[in-house]
Amino acid sequence: MTLALRVPEELSARVPAEQRGPGLDRDGVRLLVSRGTEVSHHGFRELPGLLRAGDLLVVNTSATLAAAVDGRVGDAPVVVHVSTRGDDGRWAVELRDPDGRGTTRARAGGPKGTEVRLPGGARLVLEEPLSARGERLWWARVSGAEVPVVLREHGRAIRYSYTERDQPLSAYQTVFALASADGAGSAEMPSAARPFTARLVAELVSRGVQFAPVTLHTGVASAESHEPPYPERFSVPEASARLINAARAGDGRVLAVGTTAVRAVESAAGADGVVRARAGWTDLVVTPERGVRVVDGLLTGLHEPEASHLLMLEAVAGRAAIDRGYEAAVLGRYLWHEFGDVHLLLP
């Protein structure tokens, strides 16, 4: 699915909401609500009044890693975007060229055997492409230091050219983020949950809205070519599976916070729509043809018109709703990307 609209460059959110003016917090973003092709405009703080007792929000607890680290290939500077840790101890990485403005541009992948020197004496050697689809991401063997240590001591959050400046890693953590004991996490923030504050969560709970935590560690997105997601590590715990099934058996709506939460929950759902505790890798790509078995609605950021995520949105809400919502978002001057406004798709 590609939307037939152009998003003006000035609609990119360049800094987090709380830096746009005095007295603002993370929840100071706008909320576009789609119910079919009907749209309405709200502030995110109005979310509790738009949900109802018995609704269940599925949230991703993956913490964001400081996944960008400087390195050198020979004498040439590179930026390594560290993505997914494999079961064999290797890491999926993308090498990018610094662009002189604090961000990066795409670089040809490979070749096999390329060695990157990292800070702290670590070395990274490219071994094979992650996927037969292309050579953007490679499996790499790292020696001389543990990757989580390198990232903690020398890394920074991945940022793209539409943002104004580097932000502290805390700006990329959601209120639901939990540090993983093994150092795993998301290369890029599960950003749909970013506008939630502790105060707003408490208000939702007081109104009878429940939360079901799941985990999906997101990899490095394809900033230029918008390729579909590759396999990612996920976990749906037993308690969350029970909450989801109970909501579906009653009159509650299961609303995913972010496309990552959809991918995790739908990966744990059987053909009967029952969610079972599951952990491992998922290669599920949610499309309109596959549809959704569990999720009734979705809270998500605004995606670029060519982004593969839009297929998932169409699976949840239908093509007409997405077309209408995005048209309204451009006309209404909503802000795009991870620090931008959000879109709630309700049944």
Side-chain angles (χ1 to χ4, degrees):
M1 174 186 185
T2 300
L3 290 175
L5 90 168
R6 190 185 71 80
V7 180
E9 204 174 297
E10 67 268 18
L11 296 188
S12 293
R14 305 200 182 281
V15 296
E18 61 273 21
Q19 295 176 19
R20 289 184 209 136
L24 291 177
D25 203 345
R26 287 172 170 234
D27 57 8
V29 297
R30 297 170 70 196
L31 175 64
L32 179 74
V33 178
S34 291
R35 292 179 180 84
T37 54
E38 280 183 34
V39 298
S40 56
H41 303 275
H42 305 268
F44 189 75
R45 288 174 190 155
E46 296 174 59
L47 181 66
L50 296 164
L51 303 183
R52 57 192 192 215
D55 283 344
L56 181 70
L57 293 174
V58 182
V59 296
N60 186 359
T61 62
S62 180
T64 309
L65 301 176
V69 64
D70 294 321
R72 296 194 86 82
V73 175
D75 292 330
V78 296
V79 178
V80 182
H81 285 180
V82 177
S83 190
T84 309
R85 174 163 41 196
D87 291 334
D88 59 2
R90 296 186 298 176
W91 287 77
V93 301
E94 179 184 17
L95 302 191
R96 294 177 68 87
D97 287 324
D99 63 5
R101 300 192 301 273
T103 50
T104 60
R105 55 176 173 261
R107 169 191 175 96
K112 179 177 179 176
T114 297
E115 183 179 281
V116 185
R117 299 191 310 283
L118 298 175
R123 287 178 182 269
L124 175 157
V125 178
L126 302 186
E127 293 192 346
E128 62 180 326
L130 184 72
S131 158
R133 289 200 305 252
E135 297 198 345
R136 179 175 70 89
L137 289 151
W138 283 68
W139 285 116
R141 188 79 59 184
V142 181
S143 60
E146 292 293 317
V147 170
V149 175
V150 173
L151 299 185
R152 193 164 59 243
E153 295 181 355
H154 304 285
R156 59 191 178 276
I158 290 173
R159 83 172 176 99
Y160 293 111
S161 57
Y162 50 77
T163 55
E164 197 170 278
R165 56 182 176 270
D166 280 352
Q167 297 286 344
L169 187 61
S170 59
Y172 290 88
Q173 304 295 5
T174 74
V175 73
F176 305 110
L178 297 172
S180 176
D182 63 358
S186 286
E188 297 182 3
M189 171 176 54
S191 56
R194 191 185 190 281
F196 285 89
T197 60
R199 184 196 62 77
L200 193 72
V201 170
E203 185 180 348
L204 286 161
V205 170
S206 75
R207 287 174 175 244
V209 175
Q210 292 184 292
F211 289 83
V214 300
T215 303
L216 186 136
H217 297 312
T218 69
V220 176
S222 167
E224 286 82 22
S225 56
H226 303 289
E227 49 197 63
Y230 51 86
E232 293 169 320
R233 196 188 296 274
F234 82 105
S235 167
V236 175
E238 178 68 43
S240 293
R242 283 204 302 267
L243 281 168
I244 293 164
N245 293 330
R248 298 191 72 236
D251 58 0
R253 300 172 295 184
V254 177
L255 307 173
V257 177
T259 58
T260 59
V262 176
R263 197 179 196 204
V265 167
E266 293 290 328
S267 296
D272 56 1
V274 175
V275 176
R276 296 169 179 86
R278 248 190 98 189
W281 292 87
T282 177
D283 59 1
L284 175 67
V285 178
V286 178
T287 63
E289 292 71 38
R290 189 265 185 193
V292 286
R293 296 169 178 169
V294 178
V295 171
D296 299 309
L298 171 61
L299 178 75
T300 181
L302 291 162
H303 304 282
E304 290 174 327
E306 57 275 23
S308 61
H309 290 306
L310 290 169
L311 289 170
M312 180 186 288
L313 274 59
E314 186 181 342
V316 172
R319 177 67 190 254
I322 305 308
D323 283 344
R324 178 71 189 93
Y326 271 66
E327 179 189 322
V330 171
L331 286 171
R333 311 291 289 171
Y334 280 70
L335 295 179
W336 254 250
H337 302 302
E338 66 268 29
F339 297 137
D341 298 317
V342 281
H343 187 191
L344 177 61
L345 300 161
L346 289 176

